[in-house]
Amino acid sequence: MTRQKAQFPKEHTEDGEFKRQDDAFRGWVTEDGASGYPAARGRYHLYVSLACPWAHRTIIVRKLKRLEEVIGMTVVDPIRDERGWAFREGPGHALDPVNDFQFLSEAYAATDPNYQVRVTVPVLWDTVTKRMVSNSDDDMMRMFNSAFNRFTESTLDLYPKDLREEIDPLNTFIYENVNDGVYRAGFATKQAVYERAVRRLFEALDTLDARLSTRRYLFGSRIVETDWRLFVTLVRFDAVYHGHFKCNIRRIVDYPNLFGYLKDLYQYDGISDTVNFDHIKRHYYMTHDEINPTRIVPLGPAQDLTTPHGRGHLN
């Protein structure tokens, strides 16, 4: 039997398991500038893909914290080829107005000429030092949450001190089993590895659905970063992960609490503007050629996230 080729060979084990590479750039913007990257209006620029769930997290926090006039943003073409993420004019994506880069790989090369592994989004670029600050979405979520507070009227805190000891372990659980879990299933190159990832994924979704039966959000009445970390996977699930990544035991629409929760978050002020199903579907189905060699993009599923979510009575 011919073994399925890996989508990203350098990130696969001999056993057929996908092992995501670590983020290579972990600089940090701070309010006081002690890190070497002081928070400032207009100094930093965010490079993202609307298709990518990791980038989507940073787009959401930037939106919620009202930092659109503080941190610039450019969206790459959702269709990624062997040259990587590209800056092209098109519906919902654009040329690079900051550096005139044609490809995001140029930002990586400008920061570290010896960088040899996969180029990823998001990227936070510093226009003063002319280098990348970070390619870690986790770090950027935290930076955007607090470092730029003096430049925004938003008092929202997505990482409140009184919940941090609970937020961190739930973040890890969701990342390992759900956020990355869909990729571990979809990129598996052996049956047993795929089945193990899918079982873990749906066990986690079952656990989260039960948790949400008695509370509106993951920690009750307050929305925190963990909710948005989960949202970016849930909103892509039925459109992409269910079919493309073979995560098809159930759909999110089949979960009474998770589906209402997804709609509740989608309807939160400004969030639907950050979701682009055209970019999402075209990216996954036209980019992962080892999984979908025909590059045919499905028309469905028909889904409406604007109907009443029915969760307003929960605390």
Side-chain angles (χ1 to χ4, degrees), residues 30-276:
T30 56
E31 189 173 8
D32 62 6
S35 63
Y37 295 109
R41 181 185 297 273
R43 172 168 175 165
Y44 302 98
H45 197 82
L46 185 62
Y47 291 129
V48 296
S49 165
L50 298 180
C52 172
W54 318 109
H56 193 180
R57 296 171 170 187
T58 66
I59 298 168
I60 286 172
V61 180
R62 175 180 176 267
K63 167 75 75 172
L64 295 177
K65 291 292 292 187
R66 303 176 193 168
L67 294 173
E68 292 99 324
E69 302 301 318
V70 179
I71 302 168
M73 187 177 81
T74 300
V75 179
V76 296
D77 189 336
I79 307 304
R80 186 186 63 211
D81 58 22
E82 67 280 358
R83 296 170 295 177
W85 298 105
F87 297 99
R88 302 184 182 100
E89 286 187 344
H93 55 91
L95 299 175
D96 173 21
V98 177
N99 297 296
D100 292 324
F101 291 149
Q102 290 186 293
F103 296 95
L104 189 59
S105 59
E106 295 171 61
Y108 280 75
T111 306
D112 179 4
N114 297 315
Y115 186 80
Q116 296 294 325
V117 292
R118 186 160 58 95
V119 169
T120 61
V121 286
V123 162
L124 186 64
W125 179 264
D126 179 14
T127 63
V128 173
T129 62
K130 306 292 186 184
R131 60 181 287 117
M132 291 168 56
V133 177
S134 177
N135 70 335
S136 169
D137 59 282
D138 299 306
D139 295 351
M140 283 183 236
M141 289 182 78
R142 300 272 171 90
M143 291 181 226
F144 295 174
N145 181 61
S146 60
F148 295 87
N149 277 348
R150 71 177 183 271
F151 302 105
T152 175
E153 296 179 356
S154 172
T155 59
L156 179 69
D157 184 5
L158 296 172
Y159 191 50
K161 288 184 179 180
D162 63 309
L163 289 177
R164 289 179 185 180
E165 290 186 0
E166 298 177 69
I167 286 174
D168 291 342
L170 188 56
N171 282 353
T172 299
F173 173 81
I174 290 172
Y175 169 76
E176 291 180 350
N177 296 288
V178 181
N179 300 142
D180 203 45
V182 294
Y183 286 92
R184 294 178 189 183
F187 289 159
T189 57
K190 288 189 177 179
Q191 183 72 30
V193 173
Y194 155 75
E195 291 185 8
R196 183 166 61 247
V198 168
R199 289 193 183 99
R200 285 183 58 185
L201 165 65
F202 281 95
E203 287 171 3
L205 290 175
D206 292 346
T207 297
L208 293 166
D209 189 69
R211 182 184 181 103
L212 290 165
S213 66
T214 58
R215 59 189 86 191
R216 184 168 182 179
Y217 305 113
L218 290 172
F219 289 96
S221 59
R222 284 187 287 178
I223 300 179
V224 300
E225 67 171 29
T226 316
D227 293 291
W228 299 117
R229 291 166 69 102
L230 178 58
F231 170 80
V232 297
T233 298
L234 296 183
V235 79
R236 288 163 173 76
F237 199 97
D238 291 0
V240 174
Y241 303 140
H242 180 270
H244 185 61
F245 279 171
K246 307 179 186 68
C247 300
N248 59 1
I249 293 178
R250 283 177 291 281
R251 303 165 301 170
I252 300 304
V253 71
D254 299 322
Y255 282 98
N257 302 308
L258 276 173
F259 185 52
Y261 168 79
L262 168 61
K263 291 195 290 182
D264 193 356
L265 291 177
Y266 181 83
Q267 293 168 27
Y268 195 88
D269 187 34
I271 294 302
S272 63
D273 295 337
T274 72
V275 179
N276 188 312

Side-chain angles (χ1 to χ4, degrees), residues 4 7 244 284-298:
Q4 171 68 39
Q7 186 64 47
H244 185 61
Y284 282 93
Y285 284 101
M286 297 182 69
T287 294
H288 298 151
D289 51 357
E290 296 296 343
I291 298 173
N292 187 40
T294 66
R295 305 182 82 203
I296 292 174
V297 181

